[in-house]
Amino acid sequence: MSLFPHHEFKYYFFGLRTGVSNLLDNGMRLGAKKTVGKITQPINAYSRFPEYYWFETAIRNHRGRTPALQSLKILDVGSPKMLGLYLAAETKAEIMLTDISEINVDEYQTMWGALRENAKGKASFSLQDARSLKFSDAEFDVVYSMSVIEHIEGPEGDSLAVHELLRVLKPGGLLILSVPFGADYVEQERIGFAGAARKTGDSKTYFFQRIYDPNAFQKRILDHAAGLDQITLTTVSRRNQWLARGFGSLGESARGVLGFVNPLLSAAINRSSNGVKSSFEGKYGQFHSARDVYGDLILTGLKK
């Protein structure tokens, strides 16, 4: 087995290059803290690397199956934007990056300006709600959403999003999504933070995210993806969990300064396997904590 099975340093160094390019081109336009943070923590969590790897692998394989397409038209629904920037910079693709947060859209649109001149593809940006996308039916060759739909509020927020992702995907097109995964289904809350995008500035508890078990994933995701064919599922589990919990206990600022260790943590902690495997140990509860440990479940499929 490779020491870095998810190609961690490829994504890390792209993020680092993007952060430096942003500083050189835009100065402190994003603010000092964010500008420096894009360099010290270019990939925001060790858990992201398997998702980057499997999403990119699925997209590259799909491109190989459709050689007649000169340029894939790709929709990113709310994902961490560094993957979209990577795809737009390194592949011949037209990528629409969306988010429900205006701050995230503006921030990465600014960063894209530092990459655009030497990029192989194109990127554009749009403010969108995954429950009601403002795109035509069957508009995109690839639609992906990385660790997003678990944060969508409402009793059926995640299920509505799955319908929308499929609606805007062309027949034969590729869908990729990932969600947190473990042995037990939990709808987590977090103090002073709503969803994944908005700090509330108060001490109330708000819905934060769902962590799925096999049954909840079937009912809330797969049952609403009946229009998919050739589905594959990949479980990302965590080992050496004391490392994950220890790093999470350091605090947000310390984790940001030590962002360069994320590729190493990924290699030590993340393991991918085919199929649905929820038997691995995890530690999480009703209230979200940076010390939580759970896995991810990655779905790919082609629209019928």
Side-chain angles (χ1 to χ4, degrees), residues 50-63:
E51 293 176 292
Y52 277 48
Y53 172 77
W54 289 114
F55 277 49
E56 185 199 1
T57 297
I59 291 170
R60 289 192 180 278
N61 289 343
H62 185 64
R63 185 180 183 87

Side-chain angles (χ1 to χ4, degrees), residues 89-101:
E90 301 295 328
T91 63
K92 291 182 179 180
E94 298 178 22
I95 303 179
M96 170 64 74
L97 293 94
T98 71
D99 206 284
I100 200 170
S101 166

Side-chain angles (χ1 to χ4, degrees), residues 48-259:
R48 288 282 174 251
F49 292 99
E51 293 176 292
Y52 277 48
Y53 172 77
W54 289 114
F55 277 49
E56 185 199 1
T57 297
I59 291 170
R60 289 192 180 278
N61 289 343
H62 185 64
R63 185 180 183 87
R65 291 192 297 265
T66 54
L69 289 174
Q70 296 298 313
S71 176
L72 291 177
K73 190 172 184 181
I74 300 175
L75 175 64
D76 171 338
V77 180
S79 309
K81 302 297 178 290
M82 198 58 69
L83 176 62
L85 296 185
Y86 172 84
L87 293 171
E90 301 295 328
T91 63
K92 291 182 179 180
E94 298 178 22
I95 303 179
M96 170 64 74
L97 293 94
T98 71
D99 206 284
I100 200 170
S101 166
E102 187 173 356
I103 293 174
N104 285 342
V105 170
D106 292 344
E107 178 179 312
Y108 283 94
Q109 191 166 15
T110 298
M111 294 181 70
W112 172 246
L115 300 175
R116 183 186 297 113
E117 183 177 351
N118 297 314
K120 296 179 181 178
K122 299 177 181 179
S124 53
F125 300 81
S126 179
L127 197 64
Q128 298 277 342
D129 185 330
R131 294 166 293 191
S132 182
L133 295 170
K134 300 172 184 176
F135 300 112
S136 301
D137 294 354
E139 187 169 338
F140 295 94
D141 303 300
V142 177
V143 176
Y144 71 82
S145 189
M146 178 189 295
S147 292
V148 174
I149 65 173
E150 68 270 14
H151 296 292
I152 299 176
E153 296 178 79
E156 299 179 348
D158 50 354
S159 303
L160 289 172
V162 172
H163 284 287
E164 278 293 274
L165 300 183
L166 281 170
R167 180 185 65 80
V168 300
L169 184 63
K170 294 178 181 179
L174 173 68
L175 175 70
I176 321 169
L177 60 83
S178 60
V179 294
F181 189 67
D184 300 296
Y185 178 67
V186 173
E187 294 186 358
Q188 286 192 324
E189 296 177 304
R190 189 175 179 183
I191 296 173
F193 204 101
R198 182 170 61 89
K199 291 184 179 180
T200 62
D202 59 34
S203 58
K204 298 179 182 179
T205 58
Y206 296 87
F207 167 76
F208 179 64
Q209 69 173 359
R210 305 170 186 87
I211 300 176
Y212 298 80
D213 64 6
N215 184 56
F217 186 79
Q218 179 67 49
K219 289 184 176 181
R220 303 187 68 91
I221 307 297
L222 285 180
D223 285 355
H224 298 272
L228 281 183
D229 196 11
Q230 300 183 39
I231 291 175
T232 65
L233 297 169
T234 301
T235 300
V236 182
S237 58
R238 321 292 184 201
R239 67 174 195 172
N240 296 322
Q241 294 188 11
W242 61 274
L243 275 174
R245 288 192 288 269
F247 193 67
S249 70
L250 294 178
E252 184 177 351
S253 295
R255 293 196 304 273
V257 172
L258 296 173

